[in-house]
Amino acid sequence: MPYKDKGHLDIEDRGAVLVIKVDGGPHGEFGLDIANQLDKLVKRVDRDPGIRAVVFTRAHPERFVSHAAVRWLQEEGASSPRVGRRGASAVARVARRTRALVPVVSRTPMRGAAQLDRLHATFLRMNASGVVFVAALNGSALGLGTEFAWACDMRVMADGDFFIGQPEILLGIIPGGGGTQRLTRLIGTHRSLVAILEGKPFTPEEALANGAVDEVVPQDEVVTRATSLAERFGARSKGSVEAAKRSVYFGGSMGLPEGLQVERTEFFTRVMSRDGQELMLDYIATTEATGELPLYKPDTYAQALASGSVPGLHSTNGR
């Protein structure tokens, strides 16, 4: 039976935070409809100054996102000519150059490459965005569902009989949604390679110990905890969140001189920004008025962590 996609994203607006239920149908799969809707969502929240964070959670009873729709992958592979690594690399390069010109639904040999390139672009946009993305893993995830979680900034996972991992090698393929790259950056080269070669997923405890997730909490607390993190980190300056993410995600995987150049660029962008100037001038004024550096006052530092910026004589929230 030809692949037919029926996935969608259910959006709950909580003001500065959006809570998104990923509905991949009865099996909880990640298909083309979800990929397209996610692309539109990320562009929307990135442009909206009022949206500071997004929490992704499940619609399926037990699965965050099960994995990619295998029929989708199989049909794309079958409809394309068989090529070696050089040929596949050439197709990918052409798809990247023409991504804006190749409709994602077009029936061409490059369709699969264009679709995958667009998905990579969506995940990269998440990594470069001033919005904080949190995966509320209150269910299991494999394959592309896992890669979706890796593309988020933080991950809260449910304790219990759940798992997360990259099983693609057991289907004769490898991760294609960024798993070989993002998992490696999360947990290190050797542990990532062993996990991908074996195809065995992590338990919640293993994922936490390896650094693949940030917290493990009871299942009924996952969304609440993920939303709390989203609110906390979303309170930081959106421009500064964007600059920090770009520096860490992109600069951190470069050589040191190149990474420092990325950091310098982002640093001076924020130093010259209006909110950066206002906060620094307020810090100076507060120091002069009180005779002490505000960040060396425990109560002031605690307030800064809670509100997202250092309070001072003229400070305002919601920067």
Side-chain angles (χ1 to χ4, degrees), residues 20 30 78 89 93 97 99 115 153 168 185 198 201 205 232 235 239 241 244 253 258 270 275 284 311 316:
I20 313 292
F30 192 116
S89 178
R93 286 197 300 272
R97 288 197 300 268
R99 176 157 46 89
Q115 290 171 353
D153 302 306
E168 289 88 348
R185 285 161 172 75
E198 185 175 17
E205 294 77 14
R232 177 184 177 189
V241 169
S253 58
E258 294 80 11
R270 297 311 304 157
D275 55 329
I284 293 168
T316 59

Side-chain angles (χ1 to χ4, degrees), residues 73 142-144 147 165-177 196 199:
L73 300 184
L142 291 173
L144 188 51
E147 291 166 316
Q166 306 280 177
E168 289 88 348
I169 202 163
L170 304 177
L171 289 173
I173 58 177
I174 68 167
I196 290 169

